[in-house]
Amino acid sequence: MEETPFLNACRIIALNLADQIRDLVGTEQGGEEIRMGADHTPTELIDEVAENCAISHLRESGIGSRLISEEAGLVLLSGMKGTVYLDPIDGTYNAVAGIPFYALSIAYGEDGIMQEGFVKDLASGEEFYAIRGGGAYLDEEQITVSSVSLLEESALSLYGKKFDPDRAMQLGQKIRRWRLLGASALELCYVGCGRIDGFVDLRGTLRIIDAAAGMLICSEAGGFVSSLDGSPVHFPDDVTVGRCVVATNAGIHRKVIEYLR
């Protein structure tokens, strides 16, 4: 696996961020709403602490000329080119509730094309990473999606925030089981390493900061990522705009799309 300046910077950020939020995980204090974020949703204290830590290190890293983040929105950086997409804590609800499934997600793109993606499970310590054209990795071991080809044998994760139950029910009658895990970046990585066979967002609330790193990791591991109609997903650089996403192991992608239409 290639060691890059982006990857090294992400590892430093992850180490420091985990230390900064440790005493806020699983506490009412961590969930205290302190202001409105750039995404027009309340910013909780644990998000603020995590984002400030990440941005501080990104400013020093020289990676990217600008940053797009959940709470701060657009931030100018000192790098020569490229954009960094940051979700300091994907799965804030889980973190505040003490549920060990939440992550740091960072991606780097140029001209709208993601080049590198990093997702750190802040509870377990697992590290997912991908570089365009260079594969996807879990703790430096290359990963691939599952080989499941039958819906009846598949397990899919559902982005479960106010989704359309009718669409979910139709597909749910065919698959083996649903999972609602609550951290989309990690769920996309779980598709990439074969722990689940697919991830579906029916609500259209998945944003570029949530999905950029995980989508690259899933794709580089051999997965397919698309919109609900099977077309490519295009995200604007706007944390208030979301998209519907279907990510699978490739073997069941067409079948999942058919049941969601």
Side-chain angles (χ1 to χ4, degrees):
M1 186 179 80
E2 180 183 356
E3 299 283 338
T4 69
F6 170 84
L7 177 56
N8 290 332
C10 288
R11 285 173 168 167
I12 293 171
I13 292 168
L15 183 64
N16 285 275
L17 189 152
D19 184 62
Q20 289 286 313
I21 69 169
R22 182 170 293 112
D23 292 339
L24 295 173
V25 172
T27 69
E28 291 185 8
Q29 181 188 10
E32 178 186 352
E33 295 181 359
I34 57 176
R35 63 180 176 87
M36 292 298 291
D39 64 346
H40 299 166
T41 64
T43 297
E44 298 179 12
L45 178 60
I46 195 169
D47 292 314
E48 176 94 342
V49 170
E51 186 179 71
N52 288 344
C53 176
I55 291 177
S56 175
H57 286 285
L58 284 167
R59 287 189 187 278
E60 298 172 359
S61 71
I63 295 170
S65 61
R66 62 181 195 148
L67 162 75
I68 295 175
S69 185
E70 183 172 31
E71 313 303 338
L74 177 63
V75 177
L76 297 181
L77 300 175
S78 59
M80 295 298 293
K81 62 179 180 178
T83 302
V84 177
Y85 300 89
L86 168 69
D87 191 347
I89 302 182
D90 181 55
T92 301
Y93 181 92
N94 286 350
V96 171
I99 300 170
F101 197 79
Y102 52 96
L104 164 68
S105 176
I106 310 177
Y108 172 77
E110 295 178 0
D111 300 322
I113 300 174
M114 297 306 143
Q115 302 298 324
E116 295 183 70
F118 175 92
V119 176
K120 180 77 171 188
D121 187 327
L122 295 169
S124 72
E126 288 185 328
E127 174 190 292
F128 295 88
Y129 170 72
I131 183 167
R132 179 166 294 278
Y137 301 84
L138 166 56
D139 293 336
E140 301 192 15
E141 294 293 328
Q142 193 158 9
I143 56 174
T144 60
V145 295
S146 74
S147 59
V148 171
S149 59
L150 299 175
L151 284 181
E152 294 81 0
E153 297 178 359
S154 67
L156 273 63
S157 178
L158 181 66
Y159 192 71
K161 187 177 181 180
K162 299 180 181 178
F163 57 85
D164 180 352
D166 292 334
R167 268 182 165 175
M169 185 65 68
Q170 185 175 358
L171 178 59
Q173 291 176 344
K174 293 297 296 183
I175 66 173
R176 184 179 179 187
R177 56 172 60 92
W178 281 119
R179 291 287 182 259
L180 282 79
L181 301 174
S184 53
L186 271 180
E187 290 164 85
L188 287 162
C189 292
Y190 273 30
V191 177
C193 69
R195 291 174 179 169
I196 55 177
D197 308 301
F199 167 81
V200 179
D201 169 30
L202 297 174
R203 179 64 175 169
T205 53
L206 199 66
R207 301 156 301 170
I208 192 167
I209 56 167
D210 305 311
M215 284 172 55
L216 181 62
I217 290 166
C218 181
S219 298
E220 285 292 328
F224 279 11
V225 183
S226 78
S227 300
L228 292 183
D229 62 0
S231 63
V233 185
H234 297 292
F235 287 95
D237 285 349
D238 183 341
V239 294
T240 68
V241 178
R243 293 286 186 265
C244 293
V245 171
V246 179
T248 78
N249 66 355
I252 60 171
H253 200 83
R254 180 182 57 79
K255 300 171 187 176
V256 170
I257 294 294
E258 287 175 357
Y259 276 95
L260 292 175
R261 286 177 175 166

